[in-house]
């Protein structure tokens, strides 16, 4: 009798498949890859907004990274705590992103929509105009655009084309300087100084 008491097992309960598929979590940046940048790491803030570590460099002068939070307005491309600000390596960018993610309480925002060409072109023109100074011409580098890459969402080639056209259309705003070193021609862009009143 004791033997049969311990050998009894309850009848198996059939597992029924769910009749309704569970709804997926909303996309908060996991698969968002804006044109013109390569997202290499993602971190989640306390409220599940995404902090991106990304690059737009082509690797010719080394690869540098930027950090942007999709919940708040935090964005950084340089370590400003040093005497001379330096661009982030991957390890430095990851550290900055992780530090921001652990303290940020911003809720996820909608992902930025890719602007049409006219809007992106105007954003780029406005950026060039904002960099102009009254004393000297200011050299512009594609890496200077890292903090607005997530809003313009364009490749380096597209940006170069817009800058070249702006230099043709408005030479008082932007000039191009070509330099020849060995077998390579380097193109530099300069925002012209503001006119003196």
């Amino acid at each position: 009798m004791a033997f049969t008491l311990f050998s009894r097992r309850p009848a198996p309960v059939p597992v029924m498949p769910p009749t309704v598929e569970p709804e997926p979590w909303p996309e908060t940046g996991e698969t968002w890859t804006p044109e013109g940048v390569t997202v290499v790491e993602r971190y989640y803030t306390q409220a599940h907004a995404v902090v991106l570590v990304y690059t737009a460099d082509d690797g010719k002068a080394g690869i540098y990274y930027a950090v942007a939070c999709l919940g708040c307005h935090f964005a950084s491309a340089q370590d400003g705590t040093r005497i001379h600000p330096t661009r982030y390596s991957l390890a430095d960018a990851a550290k900055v992103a992780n530090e921001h993610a652990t303290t940020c309480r911003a809720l996820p925002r909608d992902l930025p929509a890719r602007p049409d060409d006219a809007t992106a072109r105007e954003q780029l023109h406005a950026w060039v105009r904002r960099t102009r100074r009254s004393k000297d011409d200011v050299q512009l580098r594609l890496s200077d655009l890292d903090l607005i890459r997530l809003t313009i969402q364009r490749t380096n080639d597209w940006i170069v084309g817009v800058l070249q056209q702006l230099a043709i259309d408005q030479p008082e705003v932007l000039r191009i300087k070509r330099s020849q070193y060995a077998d390579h021609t380097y193109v530099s862009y300069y925002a012209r100084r503001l006119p003196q009143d």
Side-chain angles (χ1 to χ4, degrees), residues 2-148:
F3 182 69
T4 58
L5 237 169
F6 294 108
S7 64
R8 291 184 188 167
R9 295 195 169 109
V13 178
V15 177
M16 300 299 291
T19 56
V20 178
E21 291 287 322
E23 289 189 20
W25 285 93
E27 301 262 343
T28 56
E30 286 94 34
T31 59
W32 183 60
T33 53
E35 183 181 359
V37 302
T38 302
V39 176
V40 293
E41 292 181 0
R42 294 174 178 87
Y43 295 83
Y44 284 102
T45 66
Q46 293 181 6
H48 301 289
V50 175
V51 181
L52 298 177
V53 175
Y54 63 93
T55 184
D57 282 343
D58 56 11
K60 290 177 184 169
I63 297 180
Y64 300 100
Y65 298 87
V67 177
C69 180
L70 298 181
C72 68
H73 297 285
F74 174 80
S76 179
Q78 293 184 11
D79 184 356
T81 62
R82 299 180 182 173
I83 294 172
H84 300 290
T86 57
R87 303 284 314 276
Y88 290 130
S89 67
L90 181 56
D92 292 338
K95 181 180 176 186
V96 169
N98 191 35
E99 287 173 355
H100 178 76
T102 58
T103 59
C104 181
R105 294 184 175 147
L107 294 171
R109 290 184 293 158
D110 289 337
L111 297 173
R114 185 177 186 272
D116 59 33
D117 283 349
T119 302
R121 190 175 298 107
E122 183 50 42
Q123 288 174 340
L124 194 55
H125 288 186
W127 173 77
V128 170
R129 286 188 211 100
R130 281 193 309 270
T131 60
R132 295 175 73 193
R133 300 290 177 256
S134 58
K135 292 186 178 183
D136 295 313
D137 291 357
V138 177
Q139 184 175 6
L140 306 176
R141 296 173 182 84
L142 291 181
S143 61
D144 296 337
L145 289 165
D146 284 352
L147 296 182
I148 66 168

